[in-house]
Amino acid sequence: MKKLINHPERVVREALEGLAAAHGDLVRVHFDPDYVYRADAPVQGKVAVISGGGSGHEPMHTGFVGQGMLDAACPGQVFTSPTPDQMVEAAKQVHGGAGVLFIVKNYSGDVMNFEMAAELLEAEGIRTASVIIDDDVAVENSLYTQGRRGVGLTVLAEKIVGAAAEEGYDLEQLKALLERVNANGRSMGMALTSCTVPHVGKPTFELAEDEMEIGIGIHGEPGRQRMKLKPADEVITMLFESVVKDLPFQAGDRCLLFVNGMGGTPEIELYIAYRKAKALADEYGLQVVRSLVGSYITSLEMQGVSLTLLRLDDEMIRLWDRPVKTPGLRWGV
Amino acid sequence: MKKLINHPERVVREALEGLAAAHGDLVRVHFDPDYVYRADAPVQGKVAVISGGGSGHEPMHTGFVGQGMLDAACPGQVFTSPTPDQMVEAAKQVHGGAGVLFIVKNYSGDVMNFEMAAELLEAEGIRTASVIIDDDVAVENSLYTQGRRGVGLTVLAEKIVGAAAEEGYDLEQLKALLERVNANGRSMGMALTSCTVPHVGKPTFELAEDEMEIGIGIHGEPGRQRMKLKPADEVITMLFESVVKDLPFQAGDRCLLFVNGMGGTPEIELYIAYRKAKALADEYGLQVVRSLVGSYITSLEMQGVSLTLLRLDDEMIRLWDRPVKTPGLRWGV
Amino acid sequence: MVISKEAVLAWIRAFAAAVEQHKEYLTELDAALGDADHGANMHRGLQAVLDRLNGVADRDIGTILRTVGMTLVSSVGGASGPLYGTFFLRAGTAAGTKMELTADDWLQMLEAGIRGIVDRGKARRGEKTMLDALGPGLDTLKASLQEGQPLNEALRRSAEAAREGMEATIPMLATKGRASYLGERSVGHQDPGATSAYLLLQTAAETWTAGA
Amino acid sequence: MVISKEAVLAWIRAFAAAVEQHKEYLTELDAALGDADHGANMHRGLQAVLDRLNGVADRDIGTILRTVGMTLVSSVGGASGPLYGTFFLRAGTAAGTKMELTADDWLQMLEAGIRGIVDRGKARRGEKTMLDALGPGLDTLKASLQEGQPLNEALRRSAEAAREGMEATIPMLATKGRASYLGERSVGHQDPGATSAYLLLQTAAETWTAGA
Ligand SMILES: Nc1ncnc2c1ncn2[C@@H]1O[C@H](COP(=O)(O)OP(=O)(O)O)[C@@H](O)[C@H]1O
Ligand SMILES: Nc1ncnc2c1ncn2[C@@H]1O[C@H](COP(=O)(O)OP(=O)(O)O)[C@@H](O)[C@H]1O
Ligand SMILES: [Mg+2]
Ligand SMILES: [Mg+2]
Ligand SMILES: [Mg+2]
Ligand SMILES: [Mg+2]
C-alpha cells in the first residue's frame, strides 16, 4: 500500500488536524466526537445544514463547510458512516434556533446513524428534517436493494440548499427544495483502478490492466458491469445515456453538467470527459447552463470519473450562483 | 496504460476543447497554434501576463487564465514545451498596448522557446520581459546543471503577478515583482508512484512497492534520492528542512505554505501533509499567514506531494488576497 | 443454572476477543460483499466497549448492556454500529436491573434485541444479513427450552443454529445493505454481519457453558 | 561531385524516415535520461516537415532548409525544437539561394547550423548533448576535405565520427538539459539528442553517397 500517511488508524484524525490548521479562517474542528463546523457558527435564526458520511471522499463533506454551504460536517472513519453522537454534538454546536436539516446519502449505515441522531435531537427539543440523496442510476433493481446510492448529486445539493439556508429559507422550505434537487438529479460513475482502504492495506477489488468497472459506487462497491477498457468517448457515452434516460431528461431542459474525478484522475482526463459529455448533451438538446469539473466527491486514490446531470429551474440557478466560501468550493466572495 | 482518453495524440487537443466547453464564460481557446486566453482580452492599457509549458500539469497553466491571473497560457504537448508561434500568436491576441510579461519555468526547452518568441515579438515591435522561475531546491548542484527547475512557486507567482497586472503595474514593476517572488520562494517534491506519458504508454520510471523518490521533478525526472517509503511525517520533514534551510527562512518570517498534490494524490493525504508542514513551520518560528492546499501543479496521475514556502511582504499579501477568477483558482469574485 | 453478571461480562469480553481474532476474516468477507470494513468496525467498537466495561462492572446487567449498546452506537459507525448498538440497548432494557439471568430472561433479551435490529434496519430474514444468523439462533433457543432442554444444551444448539444460518447466507441474494448493490454477484459469499452475529451467540454459549 | 537540391530533399525525407524507424528507441533513451518524449517530439516535427516539403520543393536550398527549420520550431517544442530549428534556419541562411551544394558549401552550412545550436542552447561539447555527435561530425568532415578526400568519403567519415561521438556520450555526465538533473545517474546512458543528431549526419552520408 503506497500512501502518504503515518498510520492507518490516524488518517482521519490527522487530516482533520490539517484541515483545521489550513483553514482556520473558515472552519473549526471539534474532536471526540469529530465534526467540522463553520467558524462563525451558530448563525442565529438560520437553519443549520449538516451532512456527513464516511471519510475518504474529500473534499466532500468536510471541505464544504462554510458560508453558503454546510454549517457542519460529520466525518466517519474511512468509508464508514459517522456515529449519531457526532451529528448530535455538531447540531448542538451550530444550530441557530431554526432547526437542523440533515443531508444523508443513501447507504444503510448513514441512514440508520442519522436516524438515531434525529431521534436523540428531537428528544432534546431540537427540530430536525432529513432528506436522503439517491441519485446513482447504476443501481437498477432498486426495489430489491437498499435503493439507489447517494453520489455526485450530493455536492450540488449541498451547494444549492446551503445557499438557500443562508438566504433564510425555513426548515420546511429547505426540505422541499432538497427533495426537488434530489428528484431532478441523476449520476453514474466508473473506475479504472481500485482504491485501497488504509486499514485494509490492499485494493478493495482487482481490475486487470485492460479492464474497467462501469457503475461503481464511491466505496469501491462493484458496479453494473466489468468490461474491457474503452476509449473515453465510449465510456462517457455509456454513463451519459444511462443518466439521461433515467429521469428522463428532455430536449430543452436547462441542466448543470458535473464531471467528477474519483480522486486519482488527472484533470486533463476530466476535461476530455467533459468535452464528450457536453457534446452528448448538445445532441440531446439539453441546455447546459452551468458546469462543474473537478474532483469533489472522491474514493481515495481511485482513478475514474462520474457524471451528474441536474435539471435546473430558475430558483436552483439563482442559488447555485450565490456566493460560497468553503475550503473545497468557493466563488463570489 | 490505464487512462480515460481516446488517443494519446489527441489528449491535449481534446482537453482544451473540454476546457473551452466548460468555461466559456472565463476563457477562450484558440487552436493551431494552441493557446487559451481571457474571454475579455485584450484589456486595454494592461500588461499581458502569459505563461505556458508542457501539458500534463493541469490546472497549471491553462486553468489559471482569467481575471486577476494570466491573460493567456500556451500548452505544449504532454511534458513538452510549447513552440514560439504559440506564444507569439497568444501575445498578439491579448496584449493591450503595455507590453507582455512571460513567466517561464526553468527547463531548457521552455527557456529556449520563450526566448525565440520574445525575439520574434520584439522584431514586431511588441515589448516583452521574461522571468525564469527556478524554485526547486532538489537540484543541489545547480552550477553544473540547467539550474533549478521551476515548480510549485509558479502557481503562487502567477497569482501574485496576475493581480498586480490587473491593478495596473507596468512591465518593469511586474518584472521586478516577479523576480522578488522568485527570490523568496522555494519548493521540493516527492513521488510515491510514477506517471505515464500517454504516447509512451508505460510508466516513466519504476518504483518498488516500498520505495519513494525524494526531490522528483514535475515530469518524472528522477530526484535527489530513491529510498524506502517512510511515514508521512518523516517525508514532510525531509522536504520541509530542505526548503526552509535553502533560502534560508528565518524565525518571524511571514510565509505562504503551499502543499501541492501531484495529480493522483487523494486530498485526505494532502491535509495529513499540511498538518506536519504547518507544525514544522511553527517550530521554526515562521508565521504561516496564508495557505494553499490542493493539486495545482501536477504530473498527470503521479501520486506524491510538493511543498512550497514563499516569504511574503505586505505587497505580496495584498496581491495574494485580490480577487481571482479562473477555472482553477477563484476567490473574491 | 443461571447466568451471573460476571458471566455476562465474560461473554462481552469473549465476543470482543473473538472479533479481534477474526478481524481480518470479517473484513475479507466484507471486501467480497461490501466495503471491507466490518472487521475494523466491530473491533474498534468492542475495544471501546472494553475500555468502558470496568467502569460499569459493579452495576446491574441492564446498565452494563445498555452501556455496551451506547458505546457501539458511538464508536462503530456504518450499518453494524446502529444495529448491534440497538441490539444491546434493547437487550439491556429487557434485562432491567437484574443481577443474574434465567434461561427465560436470556430468551426474552435475545428476542428484544433482534426486534431492535429489525426496527432499525427494516430487513427480514433471508436478505443475507446478521438476522440470518440471529433468527435461527433465537428460534432454536426457544424450541430447545420449550422441549425442556437444559440451558447449557439450549445455548449450544442455539449457537449451532446460528452457525448454520451464517453458512446459509452463502447462496443467498443480498437485498439489504451494501451487498445488495452486487445483485447476482452477491451469491456465493458469506455475509460478514451474519458471521459476527454467529460469534456473538457462539461466545455466549461457550462462555456460559464452560465447565458445565 | 555536388549535392543537388533533390538530394537535399531526399536527405530530409531520409532523416524523417530514420527518426520514424527509431522513434521508440529515441524515446526509450529519453526515458532513462529525461522525460521520454524525444522520439515523439522529433517524429511529430518531421511529419510536419514532410507535409510542407512538397510546397517548397521548387525553391532554392536555403528556402527549403529555412522552411524545415521554421516548421521544426513551430511543431517540436521541448529543447530539441528550437535547437534543430535553429540548426536548419542557420544552415539554410548559409546555403542562400543555391540550387546545388559543393563540399565546401555543406561544410559551411554544417558549421553555421552547429553555431546556431550553441548560440541557442549555450552548451559546449562534453555536456552530453547533440553537440557531442555533431561536433565530431563537423571536425571530421573538415579534416577529411582538407586532407583531400572526395566528398563521398568525407561524408562517410563524418557520419562515422558522429556515431563515435554519440556512443561517447554514454560515460559522460550531463550538465545541460533535463538529463543534468540526474547528476551521477546520467552516466551510463546514451544521449537521445546525440542519437538523433547522428541519424541526421548518417542519413546525409547515406543519401548523398548512394550509388557513388
Ligand atoms: N438493514 C440491515 N439489517 C440488518 N443487517 C444489516 C442491514 N444492513 C447491513 N446489515 C449487516 O451489516 C453488515 C455490514 O456491516 P458493516 O460492514 O460494519 O457496515 P457497512 O455496510 O456500513 O460498511 C452486513 O454484512 C449485514 O449483515
Ligand atoms: N542546451 C542544450 N544544448 C544542446 N542540446 C541540448 C540542450 N538541452 C537539451 N539538449 C538536447 O536535447 C535532447 C532532448 O530533447 P527532447 O527530449 O526533445 O526535449 P526535452 O528535453 O525538452 O524533453 C537532449 O538529449 C540533448 O541532446
Ligand atoms: Mg462501511
Ligand atoms: Mg519534453
Ligand atoms: Mg462494511
Ligand atoms: Mg525529452
mmCIF file of all heavy atoms in Angstrom, chain B residues 278-299:
data_model
loop_
_atom_site.group_PDB
_atom_site.id
_atom_site.type_symbol
_atom_site.label_atom_id
_atom_site.label_comp_id
_atom_site.label_asym_id
_atom_site.label_seq_id
_atom_site.Cartn_x
_atom_site.Cartn_y
_atom_site.Cartn_z
ATOM 1 N N LYS B 278 2.841 22.470 8.656
ATOM 2 C CA LYS B 278 2.490 23.618 9.487
ATOM 3 C C LYS B 278 3.133 23.507 10.868
ATOM 4 O O LYS B 278 3.621 24.493 11.433
ATOM 5 C CB LYS B 278 0.961 23.685 9.603
ATOM 6 C CG LYS B 278 0.410 24.726 10.579
ATOM 7 C CD LYS B 278 0.742 26.149 10.147
ATOM 8 C CE LYS B 278 -0.157 27.141 10.875
ATOM 9 N NZ LYS B 278 -0.048 27.066 12.342
ATOM 10 N N ALA B 279 3.150 22.295 11.423
ATOM 11 C CA ALA B 279 3.766 22.097 12.730
ATOM 12 C C ALA B 279 5.265 22.428 12.669
ATOM 13 O O ALA B 279 5.822 23.052 13.580
ATOM 14 C CB ALA B 279 3.555 20.656 13.205
ATOM 15 N N LEU B 280 5.904 22.039 11.585
ATOM 16 C CA LEU B 280 7.333 22.335 11.432
ATOM 17 C C LEU B 280 7.558 23.829 11.266
ATOM 18 O O LEU B 280 8.497 24.397 11.827
ATOM 19 C CB LEU B 280 7.891 21.579 10.220
ATOM 20 C CG LEU B 280 8.004 20.054 10.404
ATOM 21 C CD1 LEU B 280 8.241 19.365 9.063
ATOM 22 C CD2 LEU B 280 9.124 19.710 11.387
ATOM 23 N N ALA B 281 6.686 24.485 10.501
ATOM 24 C CA ALA B 281 6.797 25.932 10.336
ATOM 25 C C ALA B 281 6.697 26.621 11.694
ATOM 26 O O ALA B 281 7.470 27.538 12.012
ATOM 27 C CB ALA B 281 5.707 26.439 9.387
ATOM 28 N N ASP B 282 5.756 26.150 12.507
ATOM 29 C CA ASP B 282 5.608 26.706 13.855
ATOM 30 C C ASP B 282 6.905 26.516 14.649
ATOM 31 O O ASP B 282 7.390 27.433 15.311
ATOM 32 C CB ASP B 282 4.438 26.037 14.596
ATOM 33 C CG ASP B 282 3.084 26.403 14.005
ATOM 34 O OD1 ASP B 282 3.023 27.368 13.206
ATOM 35 O OD2 ASP B 282 2.088 25.731 14.333
ATOM 36 N N GLU B 283 7.470 25.318 14.568
ATOM 37 C CA GLU B 283 8.723 25.042 15.289
ATOM 38 C C GLU B 283 9.841 25.988 14.883
ATOM 39 O O GLU B 283 10.653 26.396 15.705
ATOM 40 C CB GLU B 283 9.199 23.611 14.990
ATOM 41 C CG GLU B 283 8.708 22.564 15.952
ATOM 42 C CD GLU B 283 9.199 21.178 15.532
ATOM 43 O OE1 GLU B 283 10.368 21.058 15.098
ATOM 44 O OE2 GLU B 283 8.393 20.227 15.622
ATOM 45 N N TYR B 284 9.901 26.294 13.610
ATOM 46 C CA TYR B 284 10.942 27.192 13.093
ATOM 47 C C TYR B 284 10.611 28.661 13.370
ATOM 48 O O TYR B 284 11.357 29.545 12.987
ATOM 49 C CB TYR B 284 11.134 26.983 11.591
ATOM 50 C CG TYR B 284 12.090 25.864 11.254
ATOM 51 C CD1 TYR B 284 11.656 24.546 11.181
ATOM 52 C CD2 TYR B 284 13.447 26.123 11.025
ATOM 53 C CE1 TYR B 284 12.530 23.515 10.873
ATOM 54 C CE2 TYR B 284 14.328 25.103 10.722
ATOM 55 C CZ TYR B 284 13.872 23.795 10.644
ATOM 56 O OH TYR B 284 14.745 22.781 10.346
ATOM 57 N N GLY B 285 9.458 28.910 13.959
ATOM 58 C CA GLY B 285 9.073 30.276 14.266
ATOM 59 C C GLY B 285 8.544 31.046 13.072
ATOM 60 O O GLY B 285 8.419 32.267 13.111
ATOM 61 N N LEU B 286 8.253 30.335 11.988
ATOM 62 C CA LEU B 286 7.684 31.028 10.829
ATOM 63 C C LEU B 286 6.221 31.342 11.100
ATOM 64 O O LEU B 286 5.529 30.590 11.770
ATOM 65 C CB LEU B 286 7.790 30.156 9.572
ATOM 66 C CG LEU B 286 9.173 29.616 9.222
ATOM 67 C CD1 LEU B 286 9.114 28.818 7.930
ATOM 68 C CD2 LEU B 286 10.171 30.754 9.108
ATOM 69 N N GLN B 287 5.751 32.464 10.580
ATOM 70 C CA GLN B 287 4.327 32.789 10.680
ATOM 71 C C GLN B 287 3.652 32.430 9.367
ATOM 72 O O GLN B 287 3.852 33.133 8.385
ATOM 73 C CB GLN B 287 4.132 34.287 10.892
ATOM 74 C CG GLN B 287 4.755 34.859 12.136
ATOM 75 C CD GLN B 287 4.497 36.358 12.179
ATOM 76 O OE1 GLN B 287 3.350 36.804 12.095
ATOM 77 N NE2 GLN B 287 5.552 37.137 12.264
ATOM 78 N N VAL B 288 2.870 31.367 9.397
ATOM 79 C CA VAL B 288 2.148 30.984 8.177
ATOM 80 C C VAL B 288 0.891 31.843 8.104
ATOM 81 O O VAL B 288 -0.109 31.550 8.749
ATOM 82 C CB VAL B 288 1.802 29.487 8.176
ATOM 83 C CG1 VAL B 288 0.995 29.134 6.926
ATOM 84 C CG2 VAL B 288 3.073 28.655 8.242
ATOM 85 N N VAL B 289 0.948 32.890 7.308
ATOM 86 C CA VAL B 289 -0.192 33.815 7.245
ATOM 87 C C VAL B 289 -1.135 33.530 6.085
ATOM 88 O O VAL B 289 -2.245 34.037 6.051
ATOM 89 C CB VAL B 289 0.278 35.289 7.218
ATOM 90 C CG1 VAL B 289 0.995 35.639 8.521
ATOM 91 C CG2 VAL B 289 1.189 35.566 6.026
ATOM 92 N N ARG B 290 -0.681 32.736 5.122
ATOM 93 C CA ARG B 290 -1.550 32.315 4.026
ATOM 94 C C ARG B 290 -1.221 30.852 3.686
ATOM 95 O O ARG B 290 -0.086 30.417 3.855
ATOM 96 C CB ARG B 290 -1.349 33.165 2.759
ATOM 97 C CG ARG B 290 -1.774 34.625 2.902
ATOM 98 C CD ARG B 290 -3.269 34.794 3.092
ATOM 99 N NE ARG B 290 -3.668 36.184 3.173
ATOM 100 C CZ ARG B 290 -3.632 36.936 4.293
ATOM 101 N NH1 ARG B 290 -3.182 36.408 5.439
ATOM 102 N NH2 ARG B 290 -4.041 38.179 4.263
ATOM 103 N N SER B 291 -2.231 30.122 3.180
ATOM 104 C CA SER B 291 -2.051 28.704 2.862
ATOM 105 C C SER B 291 -2.713 28.369 1.544
ATOM 106 O O SER B 291 -3.684 29.002 1.148
ATOM 107 C CB SER B 291 -2.729 27.824 3.916
ATOM 108 O OG SER B 291 -2.112 27.980 5.151
ATOM 109 N N LEU B 292 -2.221 27.329 0.930
ATOM 110 C CA LEU B 292 -2.887 26.758 -0.241
ATOM 111 C C LEU B 292 -2.673 25.252 -0.172
ATOM 112 O O LEU B 292 -1.546 24.788 0.015
ATOM 113 C CB LEU B 292 -2.304 27.337 -1.533
ATOM 114 C CG LEU B 292 -3.025 26.955 -2.836
ATOM 115 C CD1 LEU B 292 -4.428 27.556 -2.894
ATOM 116 C CD2 LEU B 292 -2.220 27.424 -4.070
ATOM 117 N N VAL B 293 -3.764 24.496 -0.276
ATOM 118 C CA VAL B 293 -3.695 23.033 -0.240
ATOM 119 C C VAL B 293 -4.517 22.499 -1.407
ATOM 120 O O VAL B 293 -5.703 22.802 -1.516
ATOM 121 C CB VAL B 293 -4.283 22.465 1.069
ATOM 122 C CG1 VAL B 293 -4.107 20.936 1.116
ATOM 123 C CG2 VAL B 293 -3.633 23.097 2.292
ATOM 124 N N GLY B 294 -3.896 21.735 -2.267
ATOM 125 C CA GLY B 294 -4.639 21.171 -3.391
ATOM 126 C C GLY B 294 -3.692 20.751 -4.501
ATOM 127 O O GLY B 294 -2.480 20.941 -4.394
ATOM 128 N N SER B 295 -4.262 20.173 -5.554
ATOM 129 C CA SER B 295 -3.447 19.714 -6.684
ATOM 130 C C SER B 295 -3.473 20.774 -7.763
ATOM 131 O O SER B 295 -4.401 20.823 -8.572
ATOM 132 C CB SER B 295 -3.985 18.371 -7.184
ATOM 133 O OG SER B 295 -3.834 17.396 -6.166
ATOM 134 N N TYR B 296 -2.476 21.647 -7.776
ATOM 135 C CA TYR B 296 -2.471 22.795 -8.667
ATOM 136 C C TYR B 296 -1.397 22.713 -9.739
ATOM 137 O O TYR B 296 -1.510 23.320 -10.784
ATOM 138 C CB TYR B 296 -2.300 24.093 -7.872
ATOM 139 C CG TYR B 296 -3.491 24.405 -7.000
ATOM 140 C CD1 TYR B 296 -3.477 24.191 -5.627
ATOM 141 C CD2 TYR B 296 -4.652 24.902 -7.572
ATOM 142 C CE1 TYR B 296 -4.579 24.464 -4.839
ATOM 143 C CE2 TYR B 296 -5.754 25.186 -6.800
ATOM 144 C CZ TYR B 296 -5.720 24.966 -5.425
ATOM 145 O OH TYR B 296 -6.820 25.240 -4.665
ATOM 146 N N ILE B 297 -0.319 21.998 -9.452
ATOM 147 C CA ILE B 297 0.738 21.800 -10.458
ATOM 148 C C ILE B 297 1.079 20.321 -10.371
ATOM 149 O O ILE B 297 1.665 19.854 -9.393
ATOM 150 C CB ILE B 297 1.945 22.746 -10.242
ATOM 151 C CG1 ILE B 297 3.173 22.293 -11.043
ATOM 152 C CG2 ILE B 297 2.307 22.959 -8.802
ATOM 153 C CD1 ILE B 297 4.305 23.318 -11.076
ATOM 154 N N THR B 298 0.634 19.596 -11.374
ATOM 155 C CA THR B 298 0.581 18.143 -11.270
ATOM 156 C C THR B 298 1.455 17.478 -12.338
ATOM 157 O O THR B 298 1.988 18.141 -13.231
ATOM 158 C CB THR B 298 -0.870 17.662 -11.441
ATOM 159 O OG1 THR B 298 -1.328 18.028 -12.750
ATOM 160 C CG2 THR B 298 -1.782 18.293 -10.399
ATOM 161 N N SER B 299 1.609 16.191 -12.202
ATOM 162 C CA SER B 299 2.336 15.375 -13.174
ATOM 163 C C SER B 299 1.426 14.223 -13.558
ATOM 164 O O SER B 299 1.628 13.096 -13.105
ATOM 165 C CB SER B 299 3.611 14.826 -12.559
ATOM 166 O OG SER B 299 4.468 15.867 -12.163
#
